[in-house]
Amino acid sequence: SSDLIQHLRHPVSMAAADADRRRLLLVGDVEGNLPKLYQQVEAQQKKVGQFDALLAVGAYLPGIGEGSKEAAAGFAEYASGAKKAPIDTYFIDSKSAAFLQVAPDGKQVCERVNFLGGFGVCEIKGLKVAYLSGSYDPAVYQQTGANFVGSAYTSSAIKQLLKLAKEQGSPIDILLTAEWPKGLEERLIESEKPKDPDGQPIPWDKVSSQPIAELCAALEPRYHVFGTGDIFYQRSPFQTKEA
């Protein structure tokens, strides 16, 4: 997708609290197309040098629909070990209920490719990373007794993630979510607002979530990386209410 290519064309350098530089690649909805993804990674690394890691948000695993069989076949080449990923990869996933049920605490899919899990806080290359897989469904968000219903996160998952972050104390360097925070386009002049490359209206109700906006405001990460929407967008810096 254009989202995949554009993200890979915008390598990002980030700094941890100790000022050590980290060079990361960020990517949106891969949808299982690992051959295309890693071809882009190899091209970038040949052009500008090695990166420390790749962080993937949105739908990383193969889905259904047009092109899904080809994507699943390409994904299987890496999962089986027939092909090797050229970079340490850490991903969340927005759609796979099976992965969230089988591996809520994460798992290594294959060499150098790691599913982070449903939610949590971890260290990646010296950076403190908070993450949340899944997507928002208002019909189940307030349901009790489960962190996820299918591929939808509940308020329980959000509360536990906030608790984990608070227990660890130090600031969050990066927050990974599948969805945009609701209201991201507000208080921006027209020229700075996200725009669909084809000139179509952005379906905010489908790509953004109020719980994600509240999560970002509570965690106050240095960077918030999110997928969905098939758009590359980098918001200008801003301060939270507590900053």
Side-chain angles (χ1 to χ4, degrees):
S1 71
S2 60
D3 188 64
L4 166 63
I5 296 171
Q6 288 177 340
H7 274 79
L8 286 174
R9 286 177 179 167
H10 289 77
V12 177
S13 294
M14 296 183 179
D18 60 2
D20 286 340
R21 303 298 294 180
R22 297 292 182 267
R23 302 184 71 232
L24 305 179
L25 282 173
L26 310 176
V27 65
D29 302 278
V30 176
E31 297 185 332
N33 196 343
L34 299 195
K36 180 179 179 180
L37 169 65
Y38 290 129
Q39 285 171 11
Q40 293 281 352
V41 169
E42 289 174 338
Q44 283 294 320
Q45 296 196 132
K46 286 179 181 179
K47 183 179 180 180
V48 298
Q50 296 296 303
F51 287 82
D52 294 295
L54 182 146
L55 304 179
V57 293
Y60 183 84
L61 300 167
I64 58 176
E66 185 179 353
S68 60
K69 289 184 178 179
E70 293 82 358
F75 186 92
E77 291 183 303
Y78 289 88
S80 68
K83 289 186 176 180
K84 306 289 186 183
I87 189 171
D88 292 337
T89 303
Y90 303 89
F91 72 92
I92 59 172
D93 193 80
S94 62
K95 295 181 179 179
S96 179
F99 248 62
L100 289 170
Q101 298 303 317
V102 173
D105 298 322
K107 65 175 292 184
Q108 184 178 58
V109 176
C110 56
E111 185 178 349
R112 306 192 78 179
V113 179
N114 306 276
F115 173 53
L116 289 173
F119 65 87
V121 179
C122 66
E123 184 175 295
I124 298 176
K125 307 298 182 181
L127 298 169
K128 181 167 286 189
V129 178
Y131 59 89
L132 175 68
S133 287
S135 57
Y136 176 59
D137 182 349
V140 302
Y141 181 68
Q142 296 297 344
Q143 187 168 322
T144 59
N147 294 323
F148 292 89
V149 178
S151 61
Y153 53 78
T154 67
S155 60
S156 175
I158 299 282
K159 291 174 183 177
Q160 290 185 63
L161 176 52
L162 289 172
K163 181 180 178 182
L164 285 172
K166 184 177 181 180
E167 289 173 348
Q168 298 213 11
S170 57
I172 298 296
D173 292 305
I174 305 172
L175 170 63
L176 305 177
T177 65
E179 299 159 315
W180 298 53
K182 188 173 182 178
L184 176 140
E185 78 286 6
E186 296 176 359
R187 300 182 182 179
L188 289 173
I189 61 175
E190 191 62 32
S191 62
E192 293 182 350
K193 291 183 178 181
K195 292 179 176 58
D196 184 279
D198 298 321
Q200 299 299 314
I202 297 176
W204 291 113
D205 60 325
K206 294 182 180 179
V207 303
S208 67
S209 158
Q210 183 61 33
I212 296 299
E214 294 169 0
L215 177 66
C216 183
L219 291 178
E220 297 186 329
R222 290 188 171 95
Y223 296 89
H224 183 190
V225 182
F226 43 86
T228 318
D230 201 23
I231 299 170
F232 173 79
Y233 177 71
Q234 184 172 347
R235 195 192 192 284
S236 55
F238 64 95
Q239 284 188 316
T240 61
K241 292 181 180 179
E242 302 300 323

